[in-house]
Amino acid sequence: MTITLITGANKGIGFETARQLLALGHVVYIGARDVERGEKAAAALGARFVRLDVTDDASVSSALAAIESAEGRLDVLVNNAGVLGQGGTDGPTALRAFDTNAVGIVRVTEAALPLLRRSPNPTVVTVSSSAGSFWAVTNPARPEFSLPLALYSASKAAATMLTVQYAKSQPGIKFNAVEPGTTATDMTAAFGIGRTPEESARVVVRLATLDADGPTGTFQDENGEVPW
Ligand SMILES: NC(=O)c1ccc[n+]([C@@H]2O[C@H](COP(=O)([O-])OP(=O)(O)OC[C@H]3O[C@@H](n4cnc5c(N)ncnc54)[C@H](OP(=O)(O)O)[C@@H]3O)[C@@H](O)[C@H]2O)c1
């Protein structure tokens, strides 16, 4: 039995990742900051629910404590919760974007590490973004070049860097970052772009189901490694 926690899984790519991992036989915990949305999503999928707001230390601790007391370990963590961080380039907006997209990864990963260490094949997938790739945002041929989302890009660059640093400091645990592909979710609704969450979740699922000797410290999309 593989025990999996996905943050921000009440909708979008996280929800579809949960659906696909459940179909593969995982026990999936849907982490959601809102009880009603989270319970509804978990009931729709046959998953379990834990309240988890990645910006709140107490909620992260109690979510991981609940998984520890029910399962005793965690095999797969998917750091998926994220925000676009729109509303101006100012201190409060920047703090919110970084708190969710980068600091949230530290909170959840640190709380999960003791449980992951009890797994025979521990794996962490961070849903980052090619908008956080220096290569992509400086390459005029790439769509990220003209994306006016400075705070989102910067916080996703931090998310990818955290993945690399965790891979180095935790050699027994695989840490990989993923660019899921442009996806039609609430996050991108204002732009009217993207493919289905089902398609993008497949990329997340591939990295969440690596063998014990799979790669660590990589940043990948559906075609393989993405330049930093
Ligand atoms: N869509 C794309 O094209 C695209 C491309 C590259 C990367 N990504 C990344 O993919 C991930 C999923 O995004 P999505 O497109 O599926 O967007 P989405 O539909 O807006 O889903 C985002 C999820 O994150 C949750 N969330 C936000 N703040 C949270 C917090 N403080 N604590 C816990 N959960 C929180 C949301 O919960 P609520 O319902 O409570 O708000 C929601 O469940 C994000 O990390 C995003 O940056 C998306």
Side-chain angles (χ1 to χ4, degrees):
M1 201 72 97
T2 304
I3 314 296
T4 297
L5 168 64
I6 307 171
T7 66
N10 53 287
K11 65 180 182 181
I13 296 166
F15 181 82
E16 286 303 327
T17 300
R19 186 201 298 279
Q20 291 177 23
L21 289 176
L22 281 159
L24 292 174
H26 289 216
V27 170
V28 175
Y29 282 81
I30 297 241
R33 59 180 164 177
D34 180 88
V35 173
E36 201 179 323
R37 289 197 289 273
E39 281 181 343
K40 195 170 162 210
L45 292 178
R48 298 172 193 190
F49 163 68
V50 274
R51 199 186 93 74
L52 195 165
D53 181 337
V54 302
T55 66
D56 179 67
D57 287 289
S59 120
V60 171
S61 305
S62 60
L64 272 298
I67 294 172
E68 178 172 29
S69 78
E71 315 291 347
R73 70 169 203 282
L74 183 66
D75 300 300
V76 178
L77 167 63
V78 182
N79 285 312
N80 167 77
V83 292
L84 209 49
Q86 275 182 308
T89 307
D90 51 35
T93 314
L95 281 173
R96 199 161 42 84
F98 276 84
D99 202 10
T100 309
N101 296 349
V103 183
I105 291 169
V106 177
R107 286 192 188 93
V108 177
T109 304
E110 290 297 317
L113 279 176
L115 280 74
L116 287 164
R117 288 194 193 106
R118 292 184 208 145
S119 168
N121 182 19
T123 299
V124 179
V125 182
T126 288
V127 184
S128 187
S129 173
S130 55
S133 156
F134 287 82
W135 165 77
V137 301
T138 55
N139 182 346
R142 293 279 309 194
E144 297 85 349
F145 183 83
S146 39
L147 210 61
L149 295 169
L151 300 176
Y152 181 74
S153 287
S155 61
K156 289 296 190 180
T160 304
M161 178 59 81
L162 283 166
T163 307
V164 174
Q165 296 297 338
Y166 272 120
K168 288 166 70 172
S169 69
Q170 304 293 329
I173 304 175
K174 288 180 291 302
F175 284 85
N176 292 289
V178 63
E179 152 57 42
T182 305
T183 315
T185 61
D186 285 354
M187 184 176 281
T188 56
F191 309 108
I193 52 171
R195 61 186 185 180
T196 64
E198 288 88 336
E199 286 174 276
S200 297
R202 273 186 223 126
V203 191
V204 183
V205 166
R206 180 170 58 80
L207 285 167
T209 53
L210 293 172
D211 293 334
D213 61 353
T216 188
T218 69
F219 178 33
Q220 301 195 27
D221 67 9
E222 63 193 327
N223 300 312
E225 291 202 27
V226 179
W228 307 110

